[in-house]
Amino acid sequence: MTFYSKNFDIYYTKDDLDYIPEIINFLTERIPELTNFFKLENLDTKDKPQIILYNDYNQFRNDCVIYNIGSSSYIVAFFKRIHGINTIRALNLKEQKKGTGHENDNLEKLMLRLLHEYAHFLHRIKINMPLTEGSTLWFIEGLATTITHQYDHLPLETTCNIEDITNQKVGYNTYRTLVTYLLQKYGQEFLLNILDKKDVQENLLPTICEEINHKNTLKK
């Protein structure tokens, strides 16, 4: 089954019937915040993403490998532009609980996760290149978590370690802390200006960590 809208199309099964209206309403209400942030209010409808909810955990895992996302059982959703089509793939409400670390995930977690992937989609549209070509991982994930308010229930980190960040040994809340710092200190326009400037992001990281570790300038 499919629901079509201006900003996304969502493909789902009978297993999702009880909560699909809530997902649709949530995305419809929250997506304008993201398009406004990226200054992409007039998206070309041919670019709108397809959202696919999987009711088969094994099929999702197979597709993660096929689309070079990885084999980690922690992954329960991803965005990928495939043959010019923007696609967000995610395990549905029931199947997401089979992912490592997601055993207690609920509908709110699923909806925020879809919004997070939608932020990746808009980032990709804005820079017109694969995200990893234009941005570092900490910036990609930090931006998505910051502007979707996905982890606002958690306090910001009070310390950060450059080596751990570079080696991807930190959680998403650390990435959120880094981008929150940039947003508070430099503002939205600055973030938009460095969306595709990977070298600038890399050069900023030591300064950000020093500020967070020693000056504690973040607003809680």
Side-chain angles (χ1 to χ4, degrees):
M1 291 172 274
T2 310
F3 173 84
Y4 300 97
S5 71
K6 176 184 175 182
N7 291 319
F8 63 90
D9 297 335
I10 186 165
Y11 298 81
Y12 59 98
T13 70
K14 60 181 178 60
D15 295 341
D16 312 311
L17 288 175
D18 288 344
Y19 56 84
I20 198 68
E22 193 168 348
I23 290 179
I24 291 169
N25 289 338
F26 174 84
L27 293 175
T28 300
E29 291 176 1
R30 294 289 302 277
I31 283 174
E33 299 173 23
L34 305 187
T35 55
N36 288 340
F37 180 89
F38 284 103
K39 298 187 176 181
L40 288 169
E41 292 87 351
N42 298 311
L43 280 174
D44 191 327
T45 54
K46 68 179 176 59
D47 287 326
K48 70 177 178 178
Q50 299 178 354
I51 300 174
I52 301 172
L53 291 179
Y54 285 69
N55 66 343
D56 186 326
Y57 178 83
N58 292 327
Q59 182 60 55
F60 179 81
R61 294 263 72 85
N62 289 338
D63 285 353
C64 283
V65 174
I66 290 171
Y67 297 124
N68 297 315
I69 302 302
S71 58
S72 171
S73 60
Y74 178 80
I75 300 169
V76 291
F78 65 89
F79 161 73
K80 187 83 171 181
R81 184 176 174 89
I82 304 166
H83 304 305
I85 300 175
N86 298 301
T87 309
I88 294 169
R89 300 170 186 267
L91 290 169
N92 71 4
L93 182 61
K94 177 182 177 182
E95 297 299 300
Q96 69 180 356
K97 297 178 183 295
K98 297 178 181 179
T100 301
H102 297 283
E103 296 82 3
N104 297 315
D105 282 8
N106 54 21
L107 182 57
E108 181 183 16
K109 289 284 186 70
L110 173 57
M111 294 191 297
L112 284 168
R113 188 173 296 129
L114 294 177
L115 193 65
H116 175 111
E117 300 302 329
Y118 201 96
H120 288 332
F121 152 68
L122 292 175
H123 188 168
R124 172 66 170 79
I125 289 294
K126 187 72 175 182
I127 67 176
N128 195 29
M129 68 174 73
L131 291 182
T132 53
E133 288 185 15
S135 293
T136 57
L137 179 68
W138 68 262
F139 187 86
I140 294 169
E141 299 300 349
L143 184 63
T145 52
T146 297
I147 66 177
T148 61
H149 306 286
Q150 188 177 13
Y151 291 100
D152 278 10
H153 61 289
L154 298 176
L156 295 166
E157 304 289 340
T158 56
T159 62
C160 62
N161 181 284
I162 296 176
E163 184 177 350
D164 287 347
I165 294 166
T166 304
N167 293 325
Q168 302 175 24
K169 294 181 178 180
V170 297
Y172 277 27
N173 195 46
T174 297
Y175 298 145
R176 166 190 166 230
T177 299
L178 297 172
V179 173
T180 297
Y181 168 87
L182 288 177
L183 185 59
Q184 289 182 2
K185 183 166 184 177
Y186 299 106
Q188 174 186 351
E189 285 299 325
F190 179 81
L191 289 186
L192 293 178
N193 287 333
I194 66 168
L195 287 177
D196 59 351
K197 296 179 174 59
K198 197 171 188 176
D199 56 337
V200 173
Q201 297 163 22
E202 290 172 344
N203 291 334
L204 278 169
L205 185 57
T207 300
I208 300 170
C209 284
E210 181 180 2
E211 291 282 339
I212 292 171
N213 290 338
H214 299 111
K215 297 186 179 180
N216 197 23
T217 58
L218 285 168
K219 301 171 185 175
K220 301 303 181 186

